[in-house]
């Protein structure tokens, strides 16, 4: 819809600019074509100039100067001087036509002054008490015989011109909108279809009218995208099912390996070396089992196949329970955990999947232990503000380089990367943390710890309940 409105605005803008440009061009053209006529100042001015160039008197004889003769020659005009009182022509130019009278009554003078003498258009000018008349070629001027206008009509001329322009403008706009409305009706579904394609919506446009070819092309693109989407969903479903199936098939034999390895580890009849090897087998089996579970969970979260059980729960209690479990499991004391949460913060309610949040916190603490085999201190802290709850998990271990941190922050995990798989970005643990936070519409930030180790901040919206 926005594109259609923009198109309409563009059409109207082009129309208005065209009208303004057309008016300007017409004014320039009018001035250019009439400039010469205006510069001549018309035949009335010429009559006055000839009257000034006529010297002498009836008694002494009249004489026209060279400049006056030049004016007559330039305009191909003839001239007569009518005496006041008698109406006789007392002087005339050399090329006076024969049909021009040499005597005039007052009525004839009045008539000829307004119009023509023997079809020759005339102009007049006073020379003393006498009247000078200039006659021009018959095709030189067209004269108004009754050049009078109503005074109020002249005063209201600007208003009339404005009304004329406004009415004409409205008529032009109306005609333009009517003419283009058909095009816009056909463009609108085309624009809507193009806008819907990136959203993955099924698009069908009626293939009729001026833009039928374009509508057909968009329908084909939409159908092809739908086919590709279905094929992609099939592939994603097949991959998810394959991972889930392999995970299920591996668990049973892996459990047997873990069980037998545990029995061998506790069998006192075996040598110390063999019992140690059995212990290594059990530990690696546990690691493999966790890896399979992570792979299965990451796959389900990626393709939105993991069921989310949303409920209101106390985040402080959940995180503290995870911390306590790790403290109790750390029999060697290599990974002491400091609970830095304020005593005043006893409850912080959020809405989400409690088990997934527990899994995210568990992964972060486990990640600190895995990447610091020689041991490290782990710091866990919860804070809250008006809108969000924040979980901080940090260690004082080996930390990460800036390059590695950039990879963790911005590069996709190899499980999601459809390109080369030669370089693994990072483990599944952090990927699952990201996915769980995204499911809860939160944010996660990885960085350098204040004690030189690795630091993670998770921010989640607080519950409204």
């Amino acid at each position: 819809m926005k594109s259609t409105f923009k198109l309409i605005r563009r059409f109207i803008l082009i129309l208005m600019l065209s009208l303004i440009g057309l008016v300007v061009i017409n004014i320039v053209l009018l001035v250019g074509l009439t400039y010469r006529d205006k510069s001549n100042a018309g035949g009335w001015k010429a009559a006055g100039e000839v009257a000034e160039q006529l010297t002498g008197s009836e008694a002494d004889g009249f004489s026209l100067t060279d400049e006056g003769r030049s004016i007559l020659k330039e305009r191909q005009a003839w001239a007569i001087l009518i005496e006041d009182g008698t109406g006789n022509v007392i002087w005339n130019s050399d090329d006076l036509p024969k049909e021009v009278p040499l005597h005039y009554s007052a009525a004839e003078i009045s008539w000829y002054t307004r119009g023509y003498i023997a079809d020759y258009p005339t102009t007049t000018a006073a020379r003393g008490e006498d009247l000078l008349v200039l006659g021009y070629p018959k095709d030189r001027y067209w004269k108004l015989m009754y050049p009078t206008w109503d005074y109020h009509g002249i005063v209201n001329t600007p208003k009339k011109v404005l009304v004329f322009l406004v009415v004409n403008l409205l008529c032009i706009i109306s005609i333009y909108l009517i003419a283009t409305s058909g095009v816009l009706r056909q463009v609108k579904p085309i624009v809507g279809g193009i806008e819907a394609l990136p959203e993955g919506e099924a698009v069908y446009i009626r293939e009729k009218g001026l833009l039928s070819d374009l509508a057909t092309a968009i329908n084909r693109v939409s159908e092809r995208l739908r086919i590709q989407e279905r094929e992609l969903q099939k592939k994603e479903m097949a991959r998810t099912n394959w991972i889930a199936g392999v995970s299920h098939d591996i668990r049973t034999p892996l459990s047997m390996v873990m069980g037998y390895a545990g029995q061998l580890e506790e069998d006192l009849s075996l040598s110390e070396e063999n019992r140690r090897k059995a212990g290594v087998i059990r530990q690696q089996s546990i690691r493999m089992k966790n890896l399979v579970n992570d792979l299965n969970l990451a796959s389900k979260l990626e393709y939105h196949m993991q069921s989310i059980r949303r409920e209101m729960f106390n985040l402080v209690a959940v995180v503290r329970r995870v911390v306590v479990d790790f403290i109790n499991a750390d029999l060697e004391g290599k990974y002491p955990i400091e609970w830095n949460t304020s005593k005043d913060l006893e409850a912080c309610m959020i809405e989400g999947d409690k088990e997934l949040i527990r899994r995210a916190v568990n992964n972060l603490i486990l990640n600190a232990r895995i990447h610091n085999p020689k041991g490290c201190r782990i710091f866990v802290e919860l804070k809250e503000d008006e809108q969000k709850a924040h979980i901080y998990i940090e260690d004082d271990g080996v930390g990460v380089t800036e390059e590695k941190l950039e990879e963790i922050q911005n590069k996709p995990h190899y499980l999601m990367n459809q390109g080369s798989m030669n370089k693994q970005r990072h483990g599944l643990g952090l990927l699952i943390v990201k996915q769980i936070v995204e499911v809860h519409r939160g944010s996660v930030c990885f960085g350098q710890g204040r004690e030189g180790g690795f630091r993670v901040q998770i921010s989640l919206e607080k519950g409204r309940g």
Side-chain angles (χ1 to χ4, degrees), residues 335-352:
Y335 303 100
I337 301 178
E338 295 185 12
W339 178 254
N340 294 331
T341 304
S342 172
K343 294 180 179 178
D344 297 333
L345 183 60
E346 295 181 353
C348 180
M349 303 303 293
I350 69 169
E351 183 179 5

Side-chain angles (χ1 to χ4, degrees), residues 231-241 303 305:
E231 293 296 328
L232 183 60
Q233 288 178 347
K234 288 181 180 178
K235 291 180 180 179
E236 292 175 348
M237 182 67 71
R239 183 166 70 166
T240 303
N241 291 337
Y303 300 114
M305 298 181 65

Side-chain angles (χ1 to χ4, degrees), residues 239-248 251 288-309 353-363 413 415-416 428-437 439-440:
R239 183 166 70 166
T240 303
N241 291 337
W242 181 81
I243 292 175
V246 170
S247 300
H248 179 269
R251 283 195 190 97
M288 187 180 299
K289 180 182 178 180
N290 293 333
L291 179 61
V292 169
N293 291 336
D294 286 349
L295 181 62
N296 192 27
L297 178 59
S299 175
K300 288 183 177 179
L301 288 171
E302 176 65 21
Y303 300 114
H304 310 289
M305 298 181 65
Q306 175 67 30
S307 59
I308 308 297
R309 293 187 291 271
D353 191 312
K354 183 167 56 178
E355 293 303 320
L356 287 180
I357 296 298
R358 188 199 310 275
R359 181 65 176 273
V361 176
N362 186 84
N363 279 13
H413 191 272
L415 187 63
M416 311 306 163
L428 285 172
L430 295 182
L431 172 64
I432 292 175
V433 172
K434 283 184 175 181
Q435 292 173 323
I436 292 175
V437 173
V439 165
H440 289 79

Side-chain angles (χ1 to χ4, degrees), residues 312-329:
M312 295 293 294
F313 66 90
N314 184 1
L315 182 64
V316 177
V318 171
V319 176
R320 185 163 49 202
R321 181 70 261 171
V322 176
V323 170
V324 170
D325 290 344
F326 271 96
I327 292 175
N328 292 336

